[in-house]
Amino acid sequence: MVSFLELKKINDSFEPNISGAIKRVLDSGWYLLGNEAKSFENEFAFFIGTKHCIGVANGLDALRLILKAYMEMGQMKEGDEIIVPANTYIASILAITDNRLVPILVEPDLNSYNLDISLIERHITDRTRAIMVVHLYGQVCWSSELEGIAARHNLKIIEDNAQAAGAYYGLKHTGSLGNAAGHSFYPGKNLGALGDAGAVTTDDDDLADTIRAIANYGSKEKYKNLYKGLNSRLDEFQAAILREKLPRLDADNQRRREIAQYYIDNINHPDIILPGLGSSEVKDQSPAPHKLPVRSTVLRALSHIWHLFVIRTENRDDLQKYLMVNEVQTLIHYPIAPHKQLAYKEWNHILLPLTELIHNTVLSLPMSPLMNDLEAEYVVKILNSYNHDPH
Ligand SMILES: *Cc1c(COP(=O)(O)O)cnc(C)c1O
């Protein structure tokens, strides 16, 4: 069986470091807001390239806290609008509605699966305060056009970097491109803890200060509460473990790129559309090309960190069954669009055809830094021999 992501094998490969990290915390007798969290914050801020990193409990909280802090700082208020891609994982949107802000769902680019930057401007109103870009599946969503739109309309850009730890835009890491970024260290993410963990990165001193206080009961000084805060902190165990895993992130992402490149070069099937590596510059609504045609595409492939390798096919459920029978485990990211969820009943009638097409046709192939060549070859061989029988 080629498994989707061998999480245990990945974490075992960090031994004895993980056990050492756990022992370090046990020996210290300090469990929250200690040296491990502080050191991880410094190391992660340095890695991402921002002035500040605030460790928090999870990725959803990271995004919630950024918006809550902007509200406490008087830069946003209830009912203000945040532009967000309609096909994102629901957490991006939950962070917005949890703060009684209004998500404005914008269709993605079918080639890159990321927010279609050319559609943003028509959704801007006098209540728009921010654009939340999501680097979905590990692919960077950024352009000079995006920067221009934000500057012209005085909007913040918030990055949901949960799926893109280590990705680049030019020479800068995602997570350092906008005003603030939310990161997730959920176990299955490219940089995963052994439980829930997250972080905010930013260069903004006031924002960093406010988030740190809100995440600690709204308090900067013990027992003095400035804000109606929450409790959302990165614990010492997870911080210590993440410190052991961060140094290998670039190498792990590089291995993912090799596997992705192998898939792109060798998957060849008329019913399968490969991820396009595209951008909003490539205004092509037709299926993505099967081969890497131009150099700029190759450059893009270098910055992508392939959290997920997502193909599309009309016969998605049939293909998934076929792969399972042939011992290739796949997952769907995601089967139901946020606006079709019961949680957002009020949006169920909205028409977002590209978003719905994506949710009905995507399939994520096995992808992991520990996948070996034989496994990748096997996945390709099985895929290429798929024979869809419509009856
Ligand atoms: C995982 C994820 C989150 C939430 O992170 P958690 O740590 O699970 O709370 C937010 N946005 C996206 C795009 C994600 O993939």
Side-chain angles (χ1 to χ4, degrees):
M1 167 73 82
V2 182
S3 65
F4 180 73
L5 173 73
E6 319 107 307
L7 211 46
K8 181 170 188 306
K9 200 167 132 196
I10 290 172
N11 287 320
D12 285 348
S13 76
F14 282 93
E15 287 293 34
N17 297 43
I18 287 181
S19 294
I22 291 169
K23 181 147 192 324
R24 233 169 36 234
V25 177
L26 283 174
D27 289 348
S28 79
W30 196 275
Y31 311 106
L32 284 165
L33 301 178
N35 287 332
E36 296 292 341
K38 183 97 256 125
S39 300
F40 175 72
E41 286 177 344
N42 291 336
E43 288 155 15
F44 196 65
F46 181 77
F47 175 84
I48 293 291
T50 52
K51 201 164 159 196
H52 304 282
C53 168
I54 304 105
V56 300
N58 55 64
L60 171 57
D61 275 6
L63 296 168
R64 279 169 77 201
L65 282 159
I66 292 168
L67 294 167
K68 199 169 167 62
Y70 277 134
M71 293 177 84
E72 290 289 358
M73 291 161 74
Q75 303 197 18
M76 290 180 191
K77 57 178 184 312
E78 252 186 68
D80 281 349
E81 297 170 358
I82 313 290
I83 285 170
V84 64
N87 64 316
T88 183
Y89 178 57
I90 198 165
S92 326
I93 296 169
L94 291 171
I96 299 171
T97 54
D98 185 65
N99 280 296
R100 298 176 180 276
L101 296 161
V102 180
I104 302 297
L105 306 179
V106 174
E107 288 262 68
D109 175 295
L110 203 49
N111 204 27
S112 67
Y113 303 123
N114 271 332
L115 179 64
D116 186 340
I117 290 167
S118 72
L119 298 179
I120 292 176
E121 237 164 352
R122 73 187 68 166
H123 292 279
I124 293 175
T125 71
D126 55 4
R127 299 223 62 175
T128 311
R129 294 292 170 266
I131 304 164
M132 186 182 285
V133 296
V134 183
H135 307 299
L136 199 67
Y137 307 152
Q139 160 125 300
V140 182
C141 178
W142 200 267
S143 70
S144 47
E145 188 191 355
L146 173 72
E147 291 174 5
I149 294 167
R152 266 199 306 286
H153 299 274
N154 194 24
L155 305 177
K156 307 252 184 264
I157 306 181
I158 297 164
E159 297 177 76
D160 180 342
N161 200 45
Q163 301 193 1
Y168 284 94
Y169 176 77
L171 296 173
K172 295 178 82 178
H173 269 127
T174 56
S176 72
L177 303 169
N179 297 85
H183 306 263
S184 166
F185 310 118
Y186 172 81
K189 299 286 160 76
N190 286 34
L191 176 60
L194 302 195
D196 277 319
V200 174
T201 52
T202 182
D203 285 329
D204 182 332
D205 297 340
D206 289 342
L207 183 71
D209 235 33
T210 310
I211 289 173
R212 204 177 279 288
I214 295 174
N216 190 31
Y217 307 105
S219 166
K220 287 182 188 173
E221 221 180 302
K222 208 169 186 184
Y223 303 128
K224 286 194 180 164
N225 303 84
L226 291 166
Y227 312 105
K228 298 179 190 78
L230 345 157
N231 174 8
S232 182
R233 299 177 299 207
L234 173 63
D235 73 74
E236 291 285 285
F237 284 106
Q238 300 307 336
I241 290 163
L242 288 167
R243 291 183 68 202
E244 300 300 328
K245 296 185 78 172
L246 179 59
R248 217 179 81 189
L249 179 60
D250 282 335
D252 282 354
N253 285 342
Q254 189 51 34
R255 178 61 184 160
R256 286 174 184 267
R257 285 188 195 105
E258 283 171 20
I259 294 159
Q261 194 62 55
Y262 180 79
Y263 280 162
I264 288 166
D265 291 342
N266 293 285
I267 295 173
N268 191 355
H269 194 289
D271 295 345
I272 294 173
I273 301 168
L274 291 170
L277 310 173
S279 68
S280 44
E281 285 117 68
V282 189
K283 285 274 62 142
D284 182 6
Q285 298 297 5
S286 64
H290 281 264
K291 294 275 178 296
L292 287 166
V294 286
R295 246 182 78 241
S296 68
T297 317
V298 179
L299 285 175
R300 276 181 188 283
L302 292 175
S303 66
H304 196 323
I305 50 119
W306 301 102
H307 172 58
L308 300 170
F309 189 97
V310 180
I311 60 169
R312 272 190 293 136
T313 176
E314 293 297 320
N315 324 306
R316 191 259 314 276
D317 295 346
D318 186 68
L319 178 61
Q320 186 176 37
K321 269 191 221 113
Y322 161 84
L323 290 171
M324 195 32 103
V325 168
N326 287 285
E327 311 255 298
V328 174
Q329 190 187 23
T330 57
L331 293 175
I332 298 169
H333 299 91
Y334 300 89
I336 304 173
H339 73 286
K340 292 292 183 192
Q341 297 286 357
L342 270 176
Y344 289 119
K345 286 193 283 298
E346 62 276 31
W347 300 336
N348 286 178
H349 67 281
I350 298 177
L351 289 178
L352 291 160
L354 293 182
T355 298
E356 285 155 41
L357 175 72
I358 286 173
H359 287 81
N360 291 330
T361 56
V362 287
L363 189 65
S364 307
L365 301 185
M367 173 54 77
S368 128
L370 292 194
M371 212 174 149
N372 63 40
D373 293 357
L374 285 176
E375 289 170 318
E377 284 163 22
Y378 180 75
V379 171
V380 168
K381 190 183 101 196
I382 295 298
L383 263 180
N384 287 347
S385 13
Y386 172 59
N387 196 349
H388 172 60
D389 177 4
H391 304 291

